[in-house]
């Protein structure tokens, strides 16, 4: 029962967060920053629209050696981190390279790994647990 309930909850959360784009965006009082490699800087420049679509408002310094994160998404009350932004940039770059080699597909369906991590955790924690009393409707 736990697995079935978890799956139903996960699908509902995915519909809400991924398909309907219902999530908050946290504006950082002071931008978070991190040094970046040349490849990371190219990924940020190339994927800026998709980063923004997912709530990551980012910029690079003039030398393209430092990333500044001005806002991050908040999924189910969990705020994404600077590392989540960097991971997403790197994932987008990997996916883009693979798609360029394989086909003309787009990578618009790619989502930050932190989304899956948060949604899976939330679905699991809220699913029926061993020992929970169930009503006929829960059955």
């Amino acid at each position: 029962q736990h697995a079935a309930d978890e799956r139903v909850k996960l699908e509902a959360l995915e519909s809400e967060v991924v398909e309907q784009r219902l999530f908050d965006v946290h504006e950082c009082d002071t931008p978070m920053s991190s040094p970046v490699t040349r490849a990371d800087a190219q990924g940020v420049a190339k994927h800026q629209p998709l980063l923004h679509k997912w709530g990551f408002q980012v910029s690079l310094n003039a030398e393209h050696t430092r990333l500044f994160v001005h806002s991050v998404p908040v999924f189910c009350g969990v705020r994404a981190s600077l590392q989540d932004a960097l991971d997403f940039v790197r994932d987008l770059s990997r996916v883009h390279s693979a798609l360029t080699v394989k086909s003309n597909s787009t990578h618009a369906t790619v989502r930050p790994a932190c989304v899956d991590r948060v949604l899976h955790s939330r679905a699991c924690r809220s699913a029926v647990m061993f020992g929970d009393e169930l009503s006929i409707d829960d059955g």
Side-chain angles (χ1 to χ4, degrees):
Q1 285 179 327
H2 173 83
D5 191 34
E6 181 178 342
R7 186 70 203 160
V8 168
K9 291 182 184 307
L10 178 61
E11 288 173 0
L13 286 169
E14 284 180 332
S15 172
E16 182 179 306
V17 172
V18 177
E19 294 168 19
Q20 298 174 40
R21 300 268 184 224
L22 296 179
F23 57 86
D24 294 324
V25 175
H26 171 76
E27 301 289 332
C28 303
D29 294 332
T30 303
M32 298 179 280
S33 71
S34 174
V36 291
T37 64
R38 176 173 285 151
D40 289 341
Q42 289 171 342
V44 168
K46 180 174 236 156
H47 303 296
Q48 190 94 333
L50 196 51
L51 288 161
H52 182 68
K53 182 178 180 180
W54 280 103
F56 292 104
Q57 192 68 15
V58 299
S59 64
L60 294 165
N61 66 349
E63 298 80 24
H64 288 197
T65 57
R66 184 163 283 281
L67 172 71
F68 295 96
V69 178
H70 305 277
S71 71
V72 293
V74 180
F75 304 108
C76 300
V78 178
R79 191 181 305 164
S81 67
L82 172 63
Q83 188 61 51
D84 291 327
L86 283 169
D87 290 346
F88 190 37
V89 167
R90 291 170 184 152
D91 288 346
L92 286 170
S93 295
R94 276 192 296 275
V95 167
H96 178 62
S97 294
L99 289 176
T100 302
V101 169
K102 292 182 180 178
S103 70
N104 292 327
S105 303
T106 67
H107 55 276
T109 57
V110 176
R111 59 187 182 214
C114 59
V115 172
D116 289 332
R117 185 178 65 244
V118 169
L119 297 186
H120 282 267
S121 175
R122 180 60 50 104
C124 180
R125 301 280 182 266
S126 64
V128 65
M129 298 291 186
F130 179 77
D132 286 353
E133 289 198 29
L134 301 176
S135 68
I136 300 277
D137 295 334
D138 295 332

